[in-house]
Amino acid sequence: MELELGLAPPNDAGSCGKRRSAEAFGVKKPTLPLFLRDDDDDGDHGNGEDDTGDARDCEISMGNKRKRLVGWPPVKSAHRPRSNSHVKVKMEGVPIGRKVDLSRHASYHQLHHTLRLMFPSTSHHGDPYAVTYEDVDGDWVLVGDVPWE
Amino acid sequence: PAASLSTPSSPDALPAAAASPRAPPARASRRVASPGPATARAAPMGRGGARDGAAAAPPWHSLPDEVLEHAFSFLPAAADRGAAAAVCHGWLGAERRSRRRLAVANCYAAAPRDAVDRFPSVRAAEVKGKPHFADFGLVPPAWGAEAAPWVAAAADGWPLLEELSFKRMVVTDECLEMIASSFRNFQVLRLVSCEGFSTAGLAAITEGCRNLRELDLQENYIEDCSSHWLSYFPESFTSLETLNFSCLEGEVNFAVLERLVSRCRNLKTLKLNNAIPLDKVASLLRKAPQLVELGTGKFSAEYHSDLFAKLEAAFAGCKSLRRLSGAWDAVPDYLPAFYCVCEGLTSLNLSYATVRGPELIKFISRCKNLQQLWVMDLIEDHGLAVVAGSCSKLQELRVFPSDPFGAGQVLLTERGLVDVSASCPMLESVLYFCGQMTNEALITIAKNRPNFTCFRLCILEPRTPDYVTRESLDAGFSAIVESCKGLRRLSVSGLLTDLVFKSIGANGNCLEMLSIAFAGNSDLGLHYILSGCKTLKKLEIRDCPFGNKPLLANAAKLETMRSLWMSSCSLTLGACRQLAEKMPRLTVEIMNDPGRTCPVESLPDDSPVETLYVYRTIAGPRSDTPDYVQIV
């Protein structure tokens, strides 16, 4: 699933020459896919080739950050840079909250699965809950809009 | 696995009773007072032996069980015992009744009760659960691999069990409680990459296992219930030889730990967690100078000269220290504090250590007898060049990426590996994460080190070609398999076509485990592997354009293997159905989008299969699948 938004790169007051990644923007491409492929995709997994130049641009524009693939490179979580990734989860109407370790999940799907186990619901169809989080600005936002990492 | 099951149990004394009254034959048996061998007359199978002695040498099938069991006790490898058991019914019976160590490489390959019934004398068991790729997050939670049925069956049928080891399984506190209360002489508990238990379960073990020698917790996810599990070791308890709680996140009562270490004079292995500060490490070392293996935990502190002196003195007392590990966010200034142990070290694990620079390299260069080195790529090429020059006895090298998802700043190139392979003649096992590679380097490495048994190369960016020629790395990896005739484990990466698999299929005659990612161009690649690689046991593949045809064409091969994992390839449901139909002794599991809840029966044949996991089993389909796993 890819969302496309018209967006000008930051710091770009009209000229494309400033940034190191300018080569990506040499061609006029103001739109950037913001939602990188995750394990949700039922697209061509066989060859993870990006045939859309957009995705590659996005990859380059993110400061040469490698596109995050699930389980790649194959390092155990113990070997990954560790940070305290436990977050508190509360469900409306349930007095006792839970804690979830985000670093042990590799995708939104896995998170949803864990939450379903922690807060069982009688509804078996699709997503019984809305999962939201409080962002840095203090706003409550639906999870899933930004890439998992 | 052979390494952990190495020493044969001490041979049973042969009972004098089951003897022929006749004198033994001329060929003297050096060992035990062997009763006269059975005669040439067809004796009943199994027990019983000769009654009427004759001078002729006995046929093998009428040797008494005791003799057979004694002979089998000298076969350390389970594979050899398995081969002996396949000779005839007599040997089958004698072998299975006397087997002491059992390794179940796939917990679903056999039912726990059947395993316990078949091998009633087992004293040490090891069971493995989830597929290997679970380590990297490719298996969602609640997949299965529960240890409980195994613990329950063992509690029933192996009351004399002494050792239990679980890897990649779900072990609950209830399991640990059952272990603590079911086995009078329980001695060794090893949990590797497991989850599902807490410190409360550990308390049950420490309280209940009076003869515990080893408590080895490696890379588990343990919930901290703040129960003082260490305090449950009774004051009279002194038998501990191994204590590894490095993966525990919480605090432990240091005074209790210190008393424990003081009174367990046989303690050889102590691996602490990050909660133990440096000065406490020094205190512990003074109490346990006999340690052979030490894991220092966090090992990070501001530099203080008196702490330095304390550490230096403590390490100076450790004359037997051979293996060292720890999450050294160490101020490099502390490293000289244990220069004195460098000479004796055979194993150094700095794979969690972010220490870098000349101090690290100086430290390693003093470890002249190092056999095993695990380190971060922060060591860089020039550091590995120093290793190459200093550590001539190196057998195993693992270099991990410090910044796996990072900006691609290349810290480590092919140079480091070339240098080490050129100068370390005993190097046979490599795991190497790096940013770039060339065919030339691989060919050089292959020529230098035909003695590789394990070669795992991970170029961080998928499908990276030879950075000089821009060609695929087919030639390089082909050179590796052609040269390293004893290669048992191989992981490939970078840009690879079907041709490399042709080479691997043809030359990988000892290959047991193969990992493939983002490689190949067509079905042919998979076909080459499955139709070659005579001894292949585990094959794991992700993100390759391999489809249904080679799978079906080589269905029989899958029964000779332990398991096959294929994710993000080009498989469809129809082929999986055909495979399951054709091969009733395989379990064909598919994992799809966890959000999809419609039953697999209703889906058409051409539905894509995201993940396939196939394994041989004598237990039939498992009944504990989560909703996202379907058995075809």
Side-chain angles (χ1 to χ4, degrees):
Chain A
M1 277 199 294
E2 287 186 348
L3 295 176
E4 293 214 339
L5 285 186
L7 193 71
N11 304 324
D12 184 3
S15 99
C16 313
K18 298 272 170 71
R19 298 170 65 189
R20 175 167 53 94
S21 50
E23 57 263 31
F25 296 102
V27 177
K28 272 187 250 156
K29 276 261 180 215
T31 58
L32 300 171
L34 288 184
F35 197 78
L36 295 178
R37 181 184 303 137
D38 70 0
D39 58 342
D40 264 351
D41 239 16
D42 51 3
D44 48 343
H45 271 255
N47 58 355
E49 295 248 283
D50 291 313
D51 18 37
T52 59
D54 290 0
R56 196 166 296 129
D57 293 350
C58 186
E59 183 182 323
I60 297 169
S61 76
M62 284 172 74
N64 275 335
K65 211 169 165 66
R66 205 163 279 124
K67 183 170 89 176
R68 177 73 170 265
L69 294 155
V70 179
W72 189 266
V75 282
K76 295 190 201 175
S77 56
H79 278 118
R80 294 187 182 185
R82 266 291 187 82
S83 55
N84 188 5
S85 42
H86 279 89
V87 295
K88 276 193 265 205
V89 185
K90 283 226 186 104
M91 175 154 163
E92 219 171 54
V94 177
I96 300 196
R98 303 293 304 263
K99 265 197 177 167
V100 172
D101 183 353
L102 291 180
S103 71
R104 286 171 38 77
H105 295 78
S107 68
Y108 286 114
H109 256 135
Q110 291 189 4
L111 176 64
H112 279 284
H113 185 101
T114 299
L115 292 177
R116 247 191 301 247
L117 291 173
M118 285 182 166
F119 300 100
S121 123
T122 47
S123 148
H124 291 291
H125 298 295
D127 253 333
Y129 334 98
V131 184
T132 59
Y133 68 98
E134 190 175 3
D135 73 359
V136 286
D137 303 321
D139 299 324
W140 285 93
V141 185
L142 210 60
V143 309
D145 290 336
V146 291
W148 173 259
E149 67 267 22
Chain B
S4 67
L5 304 172
S6 56
T7 47
S9 50
S10 55
D12 295 338
L14 290 184
S20 147
R22 290 291 172 186
R27 184 176 37 184
S29 99
R30 310 174 272 139
R31 273 184 208 285
V32 166
S34 93
T39 63
R41 291 281 101 238
M45 300 274 205
R47 307 219 148 251
R51 294 293 174 256
D52 48 331
W60 290 107
H61 66 76
S62 37
L63 285 172
D65 266 13
E66 293 84 0
V67 175
L68 291 173
E69 290 173 16
H70 182 66
F72 296 152
S73 70
F74 294 95
L75 299 172
D80 292 330
R81 289 193 72 112
V87 166
C88 64
H89 283 293
W91 284 33
L92 176 69
E95 194 283 312
R96 73 172 189 82
R97 279 188 295 268
S98 61
R99 191 183 296 209
R100 290 288 211 246
R101 310 194 74 99
L102 184 66
V104 181
N106 175 3
C107 65
Y108 291 119
R113 304 238 163 231
D114 290 343
V116 170
D117 288 342
R118 187 180 183 101
F119 301 103
S121 307
V122 163
R123 299 278 194 270
E126 175 191 13
V127 186
K128 299 185 187 176
K130 298 184 207 171
H132 176 234
F133 275 174
D135 282 353
F136 316 127
L138 287 172
V139 175
W143 179 83
E146 305 261 348
W150 288 91
V151 176
D156 244 2
W158 292 332
L160 299 177
L161 191 69
E162 296 169 0
E163 296 183 24
L164 205 44
S165 176
F166 288 118
K167 182 168 183 178
R168 273 186 225 110
M169 294 187 72
V170 175
V171 178
T172 59
D173 285 345
E174 288 74 27
C175 289
L176 296 178
E177 284 155 22
M178 192 178 264
I179 290 170
S181 60
S182 306
F183 310 110
R184 324 237 97 226
N185 195 25
F186 196 71
Q187 298 174 25
V188 173
L189 179 65
R190 190 173 304 117
L191 300 177
V192 181
S193 301
C194 295
E195 52 173 352
F197 62 104
S198 75
T199 47
L202 291 181
I205 294 290
T206 55
E207 183 181 28
C209 301
R210 294 303 154 102
N211 296 318
L212 197 68
R213 283 189 295 111
E214 294 185 26
L215 180 57
D216 189 0
L217 306 169
Q218 298 178 29
E219 295 182 335
N220 303 291
Y221 184 63
I222 306 176
E223 233 186 284
D224 190 4
C225 290
S226 308
S227 93
H228 303 286
W229 60 279
L230 254 189
S231 312
Y232 283 81
F233 279 123
E235 285 299 320
S236 57
F237 172 80
T238 57
S239 50
L240 208 57
E241 294 171 18
T242 292
L243 180 62
N244 174 10
F245 60 96
S246 51
C247 60
L248 212 68
E249 307 241 311
E251 302 280 332
V252 295
N253 183 326
F254 184 75
V256 169
L257 176 62
E258 202 170 29
R259 279 203 305 279
L260 180 68
V261 166
S262 300
R263 66 180 187 273
C264 294
R265 302 315 313 157
N266 289 326
L267 193 68
K268 296 283 187 300
T269 295
L270 179 63
K271 297 175 92 165
L272 309 167
N273 71 352
N274 287 348
I276 310 279
L278 219 45
D279 60 325
K280 298 284 200 286
V281 172
S283 306
L284 287 171
L285 282 179
R286 279 203 315 276
K287 299 278 191 322
Q290 78 283 3
L291 281 182
V292 173
E293 176 161 14
L294 173 70
T296 59
K298 196 148 176 66
F299 205 80
S300 143
E302 295 277 308
Y303 181 80
H304 289 299
S305 60
D306 44 345
L307 180 50
F308 182 98
K310 220 176 151 191
L311 276 171
E312 194 176 33
F315 275 104
C318 295
K319 306 279 187 243
S320 307
L321 202 58
R322 296 285 170 268
R323 304 171 62 90
L324 196 56
S325 60
W328 295 1
D329 300 326
V331 174
D333 299 330
Y334 278 120
L335 291 181
F338 37 116
Y339 277 173
C340 53
V341 302
C342 289
E343 188 89 22
L345 286 184
T346 56
S347 167
L348 185 58
N349 179 355
L350 299 175
S351 58
Y352 302 96
T354 52
V355 64
R356 61 192 301 180
E359 291 80 9
L360 168 68
I361 296 167
K362 215 186 309 182
F363 184 87
I364 297 177
S365 69
R366 299 170 85 106
C367 299
K368 307 264 183 249
N369 291 305
L370 215 52
Q371 294 169 17
Q372 181 185 63
L373 176 64
W374 294 18
V375 76
M376 287 267 197
D377 59 2
L378 301 166
I379 195 174
E380 299 188 52
D381 286 334
H382 63 265
L384 285 179
V386 172
V387 170
S390 317
C391 308
S392 60
K393 303 198 183 152
L394 199 65
Q395 295 173 20
E396 179 183 326
L397 174 68
R398 295 195 193 186
V399 185
F400 295 91
S402 56
D403 191 14
F405 315 112
Q409 179 208 352
V410 170
L411 279 174
L412 199 63
T413 74
E414 75 282 7
R415 272 244 57 80
L417 189 55
V418 170
D419 286 342
V420 176
S421 70
S423 307
C424 301
M426 294 160 64
L427 188 68
E428 58 174 43
S429 175
V430 166
L431 169 62
Y432 198 77
F433 286 83
C434 64
Q436 62 187 44
M437 188 52 59
T438 63
N439 283 310
E440 183 180 350
L442 283 171
I443 291 167
T444 305
I445 290 165
K447 205 169 6 193
N448 285 332
R449 290 278 67 77
N451 50 324
F452 275 144
T453 54
C454 170
F455 188 77
R456 294 190 280 164
L457 177 67
C458 181
I459 303 166
L460 290 168
E461 185 64 37
R463 297 195 193 86
T464 305
D466 176 321
Y467 73 91
V468 171
T469 65
R470 312 303 298 170
E471 287 171 354
S472 78
L473 290 171
D474 290 350
F477 279 103
S478 296
I480 294 283
V481 290
E482 283 159 22
S483 167
C484 306
K485 310 246 184 270
L487 197 66
R488 290 201 294 272
R489 186 166 178 186
L490 176 66
S491 298
V492 297
S493 59
L495 184 66
L496 297 167
T497 74
D498 290 341
L499 287 178
V500 74
F501 300 115
K502 186 171 187 190
S503 201
I504 295 173
N507 293 289
N509 296 317
C510 291
L511 206 58
E512 294 177 2
M513 185 166 174
L514 179 60
S515 306
I516 307 171
F518 304 102
N521 353 63
S522 76
D523 285 351
L524 260 186
L526 181 56
H527 179 68
Y528 285 137
I529 297 294
L530 291 178
S531 57
C533 293
K534 304 193 282 258
T535 54
L536 196 62
K537 293 217 176 59
K538 277 166 54 167
L539 179 58
E540 46 187 27
I541 301 172
R542 62 165 294 176
D543 293 277
C544 296
F546 298 150
N548 302 324
K549 285 212 216 48
L551 198 64
L552 291 172
N554 295 284
K557 168 81 169 186
L558 298 181
E559 221 179 71
T560 69
M561 291 166 52
R562 187 181 308 158
S563 66
L564 166 69
W565 168 287
M566 286 179 69
S567 58
S568 304
C569 297
S570 309
L571 298 173
T572 62
L573 189 51
C576 298
R577 286 175 169 144
Q578 279 184 272
L579 182 64
E581 169 103 36
K582 204 168 164 184
M583 309 291 301
R585 284 188 301 210
L586 295 180
T587 290
V588 179
E589 293 192 16
I590 60 172
M591 278 199 313
N592 269 332
D593 183 351
R596 188 191 343 234
T597 49
C598 58
V600 77
E601 292 78 35
S602 65
L603 295 171
D605 275 352
D606 61 358
S607 310
V609 166
E610 173 54 32
T611 300
L612 170 73
Y613 183 52
V614 182
Y615 51 89
R616 65 181 172 195
T617 178
I618 55 172
R622 62 179 173 121
S623 52
D624 61 351
T625 50
D627 53 15
Y628 58 84
V629 171
Q630 313 254 18
I631 293 179
V632 177

